[in-house]
Amino acid sequence: MEQYVKYLRKSRFDRDYAELSIEETLKRHEAILDKLAEDRGYHIAKTYYEVVSGESIAARPEIQKMLEEVSLGVYAGVLVVDVERLARGNGADQAYISQVFQFSGTKIITPLKVYDPSNEFDEEYFEFGLFMSRREYKTINRRLVRGRDSSAAEGKYINSIAPYGYTRVKLPNEKGYTLEPHPEEAGVIQTIFSLFLNHAGTKVIANYLNDHQIPTRHGDLWTYSTITNIITNPIYMGKIRRGWSKQVKSIENGQVKKRIKRHKNMEEYQLFNGLHPALVTEEQFMRAQELRLERRPAPKVKDDFELQNAFAGLLYCSVCGKRIGRSTTSQSRGSVPRLRCVNARNCHNSSADYKVVEKEIITALRTWLDGYRVKIDTVGFADEISEQNLLLEKCGQELAKLEQQLENAFDLVEQGIYTPELFQERREKLNASISRLKEQRSGISLYLERLQSSQTHQSNLIPQTEALLESYDSMTNQERNDLLKVILQKIEYQKGGDGEIVIDLYPRLPHL
């Protein structure tokens, strides 16, 4: 029996379902494809739900999995609501998708048309559809940007979350939003600017707010970077900034990488008069910018930067959850590297010598590896994988039986043995049973995939950890850090008053 697959993805440009959530839109699209499959007798083997946003294939994991299976010729066809669900990315993405379907002989099936890649006219029509989809994407995107630019020029607040110090409110009798001062936060903003204009540094201001138990909006501690972001935001002098950040794309190892670049100088972006009231005067804000420029800028990172902390991005405080950073004692104390909580002012987790903590982490990693080997050897997943395969096979047999019964019902009504009413009743019962069985099969398949993924992951995790432990002393800190991030999600550190260091490891084990 030929197998088909459904691919569902909500576009942010869906006009018909603009007010619906992703889940609601996918549900409606799935109903369309289920009706299509039922009418044409397609056997749906799997459904892929893409819930992430991204125009390129690299940003969409589900289509990557589907294309990998399609390239193997597993399916006779892929059902989509329209071809633009497959690709609205660049020409390279579109060419790749076209080749995958052409070389595998897999059909693209939409409610309006079936694209057969072996047919040169269909192939051209499909490629043209992808091209027009990309063109429409860019046109709509430009229209959205122009609309946001126009709203900003009118002084409206166009972001979805209000900055600290304000609340976001709907403009009466017109489209758009503006800001109103928050009754509690607005005073904090004025305090921050007052302290800064009186020559208090950003760290001093952050410590002042933390010492006075003034929380951030989400209850976190204030940091110097948060204070800097407030000091440099012209929203507080009643302005709307536009074009102060942009997305920069680059190619690394054959993959398109995206990063956000933010302009630091006000001359590099546009400013518009906002409809909202200012919390500080324009003179106060501009004076704050002058003070920032007068202070010595932070030293630039050298081109030959060498990582000094093998646990960067991995080590966290088990007391407050903040990052554990590396610092160095003064020259008079020997310039010894140490590890301490970045929230040391408010957290009582003691600092420790870097080498001592490093030794504890490696010891903990060896202990974990020994226990993990025993667990894999004694438990494993082979028996459970075999059991799930049998259940999957049984599900397939039951499903085939029900589908045959449905086919027989059609024959019986055509022969006049079933009345239309009896046929409708019988059909509804069989379709309900088929739907339940398909859901059950889908659940078993998903669980089986996770089991198999776990087994593969385990076979990789052990040799990776062994390689790290065997070669650790000869590695650079960057090499250690790269491999540790493959093995571990994070490391938690605690040192009590008695001097005992406690290390907790969180390996990257897949969750079933």
Side-chain angles (χ1 to χ4, degrees):
M1 179 186 293
E2 289 185 333
Q3 294 188 329
Y4 294 80
V5 63
K6 294 181 296 185
Y7 177 73
L8 297 153
R9 178 174 75 91
K10 181 185 188 298
S11 168
R12 62 190 173 108
F13 301 115
D14 279 325
R15 297 184 183 89
D16 296 337
Y17 308 122
E19 301 301 322
L20 299 181
S21 67
I22 291 176
E23 292 75 15
E24 290 172 324
T25 302
L26 294 184
K27 188 176 180 180
R28 293 198 179 191
H29 285 176
E30 186 167 21
I32 295 171
L33 296 183
D34 285 342
K35 179 68 166 55
L36 179 65
E38 181 182 345
D39 291 345
R40 300 185 185 180
Y42 294 147
H43 175 71
I44 304 298
K46 186 181 289 188
T47 301
Y48 286 95
Y49 302 93
E50 197 80 75
V51 295
V52 299
S53 175
E55 60 182 84
S56 68
I57 293 176
R60 292 153 52 196
E62 291 304 305
I63 199 170
Q64 294 177 41
K65 296 176 186 176
M66 186 192 75
L67 290 175
E68 185 177 347
E69 293 188 349
V70 168
S71 67
L72 299 174
V74 176
Y75 305 114
V78 174
L79 278 68
V80 289
V81 173
D82 47 57
V83 292
E84 71 181 30
R85 306 293 148 176
L86 293 174
R88 238 175 175 163
N90 56 33
D93 279 353
Q94 294 176 359
Y96 171 65
I97 287 177
S98 182
Q99 286 181 348
V100 167
F101 281 94
Q102 182 183 1
F103 294 163
S104 65
T106 307
K107 295 177 181 178
I108 300 100
I109 301 166
T110 73
L112 298 178
K113 180 175 174 55
V114 176
Y115 300 86
D116 186 348
S118 62
N119 183 309
E120 61 177 307
F121 296 107
D122 276 1
E123 179 189 351
E124 290 180 4
Y125 199 83
F126 175 61
E127 290 177 351
F128 180 72
L130 291 181
F131 168 76
M132 292 303 295
S133 173
R134 176 63 177 173
R135 184 177 178 182
E136 182 189 15
Y137 170 83
K138 284 191 167 292
T139 300
I140 295 175
N141 209 31
R142 283 195 295 270
R143 193 177 301 138
L144 285 174
V145 172
R146 284 198 300 268
R148 292 172 70 83
D149 287 342
S150 177
S151 293
E154 294 172 6
K156 298 175 182 177
Y157 184 73
I158 59 176
N159 295 330
S160 58
I161 300 175
Y164 186 91
Y166 287 104
T167 57
R168 180 171 172 261
V169 294
K170 180 76 173 64
L171 286 168
N173 305 320
E174 63 174 307
K175 291 183 178 180
Y177 293 83
T178 187
L179 300 170
E180 287 183 354
H182 189 283
E184 297 173 359
E185 296 175 355
V188 178
I189 293 295
Q190 291 164 346
T191 299
I192 290 172
F193 274 92
S194 176
L195 290 169
F196 191 80
L197 292 172
N198 282 285
H199 302 281
T202 53
K203 289 185 179 180
V204 172
I205 296 173
N207 290 335
Y208 172 86
L209 296 175
N210 291 329
D211 290 346
H212 284 76
Q213 297 183 343
I214 300 173
T216 63
R217 178 173 293 174
H218 302 292
D220 298 327
L221 293 170
W222 292 91
T223 64
Y224 71 91
S225 59
T226 306
I227 302 299
T228 301
N229 290 337
I230 288 174
I231 294 295
T232 56
N233 192 344
I235 198 83
Y236 297 112
M237 66 169 176
K239 304 289 185 180
I240 299 290
R241 61 183 172 185
R242 187 71 178 142
W244 76 287
S245 67
K246 66 177 181 178
Q247 189 180 80
V248 179
K249 297 180 181 179
S250 60
I251 297 179
E252 298 177 16
N253 301 322
Q255 297 249 338
V256 177
K257 301 290 184 181
K258 300 178 183 179
R259 62 184 179 87
I260 300 298
K261 180 181 179 181
R262 306 196 189 281
H263 296 298
K264 297 180 180 179
N265 298 323
M266 294 173 61
E267 295 79 14
E268 296 177 319
Y269 54 81
Q270 291 179 293
L271 278 179
F272 302 101
N273 291 324
L275 298 176
H276 63 282
L279 297 183
V280 297
T281 66
E282 188 169 340
E283 291 74 19
Q284 289 174 317
F285 184 85
M286 298 308 296
R287 178 55 185 155
Q289 308 317 302
E290 292 173 4
L291 287 174
R292 286 184 63 248
L293 294 176
E294 289 173 5
R295 294 175 180 173
R296 188 175 64 179
K300 294 183 178 180
V301 178
K302 298 180 180 178
D303 293 336
D304 58 348
F305 169 77
E306 182 179 340
L307 186 67
Q308 299 296 315
N309 182 6
F311 313 108
L314 283 170
L315 196 56
Y316 292 87
C317 175
S318 62
V319 177
C320 70
K322 297 292 183 181
R323 181 174 55 85
I324 297 292
R326 181 185 181 276
S327 61
T328 307
T329 60
S330 62
Q331 289 185 350
S332 61
R333 298 177 60 187
S335 300
V336 178
R338 294 183 68 79
L339 290 169
R340 69 176 67 247
C341 177
V342 296
N343 184 32
R345 183 180 178 88
N346 301 286
C347 178
H348 302 293
N349 198 358
S350 303
S351 64
D353 185 280
Y354 179 91
K355 290 294 183 183
V356 174
V357 178
E358 181 179 45
K359 183 178 179 181
E360 292 289 340
I361 291 174
I362 296 303
T363 300
L365 197 56
R366 290 186 190 279
T367 303
W368 170 80
L369 180 60
D370 291 341
Y372 190 58
R373 281 201 197 97
V374 173
K375 180 180 178 181
I376 297 307
D377 291 342
T378 56
V379 181
F381 294 104
D383 291 344
E384 199 164 357
I385 287 174
S386 177
E387 180 183 341
Q388 294 303 314
N389 275 319
L390 289 174
L391 287 174
L392 199 59
E393 184 180 349
K394 185 178 179 181
C395 250
Q397 293 171 352
E398 290 293 328
L399 196 56
K401 187 186 298 183
L402 288 172
E403 288 172 343
Q404 184 59 52
Q405 290 176 8
L406 185 60
E407 187 68 28
N408 292 340
F410 278 99
D411 293 339
L412 291 171
V413 75
E414 288 175 359
Q415 296 171 21
I417 298 174
Y418 275 2
T419 64
E421 293 77 16
L422 180 60
F423 167 73
Q424 184 64 27
E425 181 184 348
R426 180 66 174 158
R427 182 187 181 187
E428 288 177 359
K429 287 182 179 179
L430 287 171
N431 278 332
S433 298
I434 289 172
S435 296
R436 284 195 298 270
L437 202 56
K438 283 183 177 179
E439 288 180 9
Q440 183 181 350
R441 185 182 62 177
S442 177
I444 295 171
S445 297
L446 181 60
Y447 186 62
L448 184 60
E449 285 180 12
R450 290 177 177 175
L451 285 171
Q452 292 167 338
S453 172
S454 299
Q455 185 164 269
T456 303
H457 189 84
Q458 289 165 352
S459 63
N460 294 333
L461 196 59
I462 291 176
Q464 287 168 340
T465 309
E466 290 174 338
L468 173 71
L469 294 174
E470 290 172 4
S471 308
Y472 188 87
D473 292 339
S474 60
M475 287 180 171
T476 64
N477 281 322
Q478 186 63 63
E479 290 170 337
R480 294 167 179 170
N481 187 256
D482 291 341
L483 197 47
L484 279 166
K485 285 180 177 177
V486 172
I487 299 167
L488 302 172
Q489 294 181 37
K490 69 174 180 176
I491 306 167
E492 285 192 349
Y493 157 89
Q494 182 177 8
K495 181 182 177 183
D498 57 0
E500 182 183 2
I501 295 175
V502 178
I503 298 294
D504 289 319
L505 303 179
Y506 292 81
R508 290 190 177 276
L509 299 177
H511 298 289
L512 295 178

